[in-house]
Amino acid sequence: MQIETITTHPYDDQNPGTSGLRKKVKTFQQPGYLENFVQSIFDSLNDFAGKTLVLGGDGRYFNRAAIQIIIKMAAANGFGELIIGQGGLLSPPAASHLIRKNQAFGGLVLSASHNPGGPDEDFGIKYNVANGGPAPEKYTAAFYQCSQAIDCYKIAAMADIDLDSIGTQQVGDIKITIVDPVTDYAEMMQSIFDFPLLKQSIGSGYIRLCFDAMHAITGPYAKRILEDMLGAKPGSVINAEPLEDFGGHHPDPNLAHAQELAAKMFGPDAPTFGAASDGDGDRNMIMGSHIFVTPSDSLAIMAANAHLIPAYAKGLSGVARSMPTSQAVDRVAAKYAIPCYETPTGWKFFGNLLDAGKITICGEESFGTGSDHVREKDGLWAVLFWLNLIARKRQPVADIVHDHWLKFGRDIYSRHDYEAVSSDIANGIIEHLRSRLPTLAGQAFDEYIIKYADEFSYQDPIDNSISHNQGIRIGFENGSRIVFRLSGTGTVGATLRIYLERFEVDAEKHDQDAQAALADLIDLAEQLSEIKKRTGRTEPTVIT
Ligand code: G1P
Ligand code: ZN
């Protein structure tokens, strides 16, 4: 096999964000752009000669073309084997599982998650390490550094690989195996949850479900598991066919974007259980008949009931949440006397805690939940977890949620996003907040007295690495919080996120609408940050 060395020049914007390098497809299609980044990853890794790399993506536009390029580069750089999802498809949790199961050296996951897809939309790539999880910051910093000095990349002169035929072939020195993307993942789910009970509850009609795959990767996974294996009626999985542009929609599972599901769940004769997943299948939205469960509540409820699920029957070693996620899970941890960790936004920060056995379950407010079964958040896992809970408790979702609030109180929560703000204005807002931090503690705004105001830094308890500037936190004496941070996954300008939460113990007040209950805090967030004033916007782009 002939290996070509191609001369190239650095691109200055290849610094990975919250979850890998995410850019417009057109950016990735520039000559050498993808190749530079892949070569930079390979250049900063050591000792992978002859080893295995897992490869797959969320199936969006440019997925197949990118996979062919990466196959040739992996061959030229000396990998010994590639395990690739059929059709180039692998959800991040399925890829994570394949890396772990095959003791691979690592994996490349092509995904822009919940961002829209198509020739004018987004594409992304991230590297996962041997534990199956996203590369920690010391790796991503090295990728960026290499990308800034790169002058050539290596690529093998070989024909395109047929991605659709399952099986193994040897091409020169590299073995290429195409696997079914669902089989191993489905087997793992079967080992975690009580499938016979689920089959019984779904088959008997006790649970009627609707899963919205949003024309994204979970279509084949959900059809196989929910319909074929667990007996949900054909058609229970809607928008099941993965499309390169997600049917023109935003494949983000929230009430704003999964409207078809939301309409069903709040409509007449609503199913018992509703759920949706995102572009690459790692996020989840949980709904019941006439109720939406916030991701922060979902995490807390899962933690509180984990002992009812076969794989977690022995209890949890600990839990973790990203900093902006509500404190609901902290209350569960306190009650069960297990550790609760607060990490920066992004799944990569959970990896060390999971590897060290410090935590079993973790999650983020951004519709992400997962456990130590893989090193990615996992949309369908969360769906099966909830189904298993409903089947075990024989309770509808609304009752499970209300019982939880009764026991622990309710952390009323919402996130307001201002998207595509000019970067200068967004940075100015953060700077403005930062400059106010030293004087805020002790200030009173009606019943809201500021207890602390700081910028979140995290020291990883396992490797002691420190991550600074992870968001601005303003905490109040009454337990309420406002957090401000800039998104690290957007591709147009800057996205400002405001996270709002207020604790309510009084059961009489648990049924309030979140926006109304948070109105004072929303006003206060504007007073402190001047987002509306400085951006000229009158309202957030998305409220979740
Ligand atoms: C967003 C979410 C974050 C999540 C990430 C990847 O990142 O907020 O929780 O881990 O997507 O799915 P952000 O755009 O806020 O940096
Ligand atoms: Zn995702």
Side-chain angles (χ1 to χ4, degrees):
M1 191 168 49
Q2 198 191 325
I3 292 170
E4 292 170 358
T5 302
I6 312 284
T7 306
T8 189
H9 300 286
Y11 286 93
D12 63 9
D13 62 347
Q14 298 202 318
N15 198 4
T18 313
S19 189
L21 185 69
R22 224 174 263 186
K23 301 282 175 198
K24 289 284 169 210
V25 167
K26 294 247 155 37
T27 304
F28 270 103
Q29 285 171 328
Q30 298 173 91
Y33 192 91
L34 172 71
E35 291 86 343
N36 276 14
F37 190 64
V38 172
Q39 188 66 51
S40 301
I41 294 175
F42 293 162
D43 284 349
S44 55
L45 301 171
N46 293 313
D47 301 328
F48 56 76
K51 299 204 173 134
T52 303
L53 185 74
V54 169
L55 178 59
D58 61 12
R60 68 180 57 232
Y61 185 83
F62 197 53
N63 192 59
R64 280 179 177 259
I67 285 189
Q68 296 294 354
I69 292 172
I70 296 170
I71 292 173
K72 293 169 193 168
M73 291 187 67
N77 280 274
F79 277 95
E81 181 177 8
L82 286 174
I83 298 176
I84 308 172
Q86 187 184 24
L89 299 181
L90 278 181
S91 72
S96 184
H97 178 55
L98 283 179
I99 294 171
R100 295 165 68 77
K101 186 174 171 189
N102 294 286
Q103 289 167 352
F105 183 81
L108 281 169
V109 183
L110 310 182
S111 154
S113 191
H114 51 289
N115 296 20
D120 296 315
E121 298 296 352
D122 295 353
F123 189 75
I125 173 167
K126 64 176 181 173
Y127 179 71
N128 282 23
V129 293
N131 76 351
E137 277 186 335
K138 65 170 191 277
Y139 285 83
T140 53
F143 303 162
Y144 179 53
Q145 216 175 9
C146 283
S147 78
Q148 295 311 288
I150 194 165
D151 57 10
C152 65
Y153 63 84
K154 283 192 228 153
I155 188 156
M158 59 190 263
D160 278 2
I161 296 296
D162 172 6
L163 298 176
D164 298 304
S165 308
I166 288 179
T168 297
Q169 53 178 305
Q170 187 75 32
V171 185
D173 290 336
I174 195 163
K175 188 168 127 189
I176 298 179
T177 302
I178 308 286
V179 297
D180 178 277
V182 182
T183 306
D184 294 280
Y185 177 83
E187 264 172 27
M188 176 178 48
M189 291 300 115
Q190 222 165 346
S191 74
I192 296 176
F193 300 105
D194 189 343
F195 269 42
L197 173 70
L198 283 172
K199 249 176 124 162
Q200 195 276 326
S201 301
I202 293 170
S204 66
Y206 178 70
I207 297 179
R208 279 189 302 124
L209 67 94
C210 177
F211 179 87
D212 187 350
M214 303 189 86
H215 286 304
I217 194 155
T218 41
Y221 289 87
K223 267 196 143 340
R224 176 93 59 87
I225 296 172
L226 301 176
E227 294 188 6
D228 301 349
M229 295 170 78
L230 296 176
K233 276 213 202 86
S236 300
V237 180
I238 60 172
N239 301 318
E241 189 198 345
L243 299 174
E244 285 194 332
D245 67 350
F246 309 114
H249 297 294
H250 223 103
D252 200 1
N254 57 44
L255 292 177
H257 294 304
Q259 279 168 0
E260 186 180 345
L261 174 74
K264 265 190 210 298
M265 298 310 297
F266 285 107
D269 196 29
T272 333
F273 178 79
S277 195
D278 70 329
D280 61 357
D282 55 4
R283 292 186 175 201
N284 71 88
M285 172 167 73
I286 301 296
M287 301 185 76
S289 172
H290 296 264
I291 186 168
F292 157 73
V293 187
T294 68
S296 296
D297 277 345
S298 174
L299 172 65
I301 292 168
M302 287 168 132
N305 294 287
H307 56 279
L308 300 175
I309 307 292
Y312 312 107
K314 288 203 198 90
L316 307 177
S317 61
V319 291
R321 62 163 171 84
S322 66
M323 182 273 282
T325 303
S326 98
Q327 299 159 87
V329 74
D330 305 33
R331 303 181 203 288
V332 175
K335 187 151 202 148
Y336 290 2
I338 54 171
C340 177
Y341 296 85
E342 183 178 42
T343 57
T345 296
W347 209 260
K348 56 180 178 257
F349 294 101
F350 294 132
N352 278 348
L353 296 170
L354 289 163
D355 283 353
K358 300 264 183 217
I359 59 170
T360 315
I361 284 184
C362 48
E364 299 194 87
E365 51 65 41
S366 52
F367 298 82
T369 13
S371 87
D372 58 1
H373 67 291
V374 286
R375 294 294 179 272
E376 290 276 8
K377 56 185 176 249
D378 189 346
L380 267 172
W381 168 87
V383 168
L384 291 165
F385 197 119
W386 267 92
L387 286 169
N388 204 153
L389 273 191
I390 299 166
R392 263 304 293 272
K393 286 172 141 333
R394 297 286 292 183
Q395 271 189 309
V397 175
D399 290 7
I400 295 178
V401 172
H402 281 101
D403 282 1
H404 184 88
W405 289 343
L406 212 54
K407 204 156 158 194
F408 293 95
R410 175 179 175 194
D411 292 87
I412 304 176
Y413 188 86
S414 182
R415 184 176 104 184
H416 290 195
D417 293 336
Y418 290 82
E419 293 175 353
V421 172
S422 105
S423 296
D424 288 348
I425 295 181
N427 289 328
I429 291 169
I430 296 292
E431 263 316 311
H432 165 71
L433 279 163
R434 199 172 271 143
S435 70
R436 296 189 66 175
L437 289 178
T439 57
L440 285 178
Q443 285 195 38
F445 302 83
D446 296 327
E447 83 261 38
Y448 290 92
I449 302 163
I450 298 182
K451 187 170 170 191
Y452 62 87
D454 64 10
E455 196 155 14
F456 182 57
S457 283
Y458 177 68
Q459 179 162 29
D460 185 293
I462 311 301
D463 66 17
N464 294 320
S465 60
I466 297 183
S467 305
H468 292 294
N469 300 342
Q470 297 297 322
I472 287 180
R473 305 189 291 188
I474 299 182
F476 298 87
E477 297 285 356
N478 61 9
S480 300
R481 261 196 341 168
I482 306 177
V483 171
F484 300 91
R485 62 177 280 284
L486 289 178
S487 154
T489 58
T491 58
V492 185
T495 293
L496 267 161
R497 306 201 193 284
I498 313 177
Y499 309 79
L500 305 136
E501 75 182 280
R502 179 162 92 65
F503 184 54
E504 183 60 73
V505 219
D506 185 353
E508 300 277 294
K509 296 185 185 155
H510 281 168
D511 271 328
Q512 297 180 76
D513 167 68
Q515 300 310 314
L518 294 168
D520 290 346
L521 275 179
I522 295 169
D523 283 349
L524 198 45
E526 175 60 21
Q527 265 185 64
L528 294 166
S529 65
E530 301 178 353
I531 290 180
K532 291 197 174 100
K533 187 168 146 206
R534 286 168 181 249
T535 58
R537 308 272 178 99
T538 51
E539 54 182 26
T541 323
V542 183
I543 295 182
T544 49

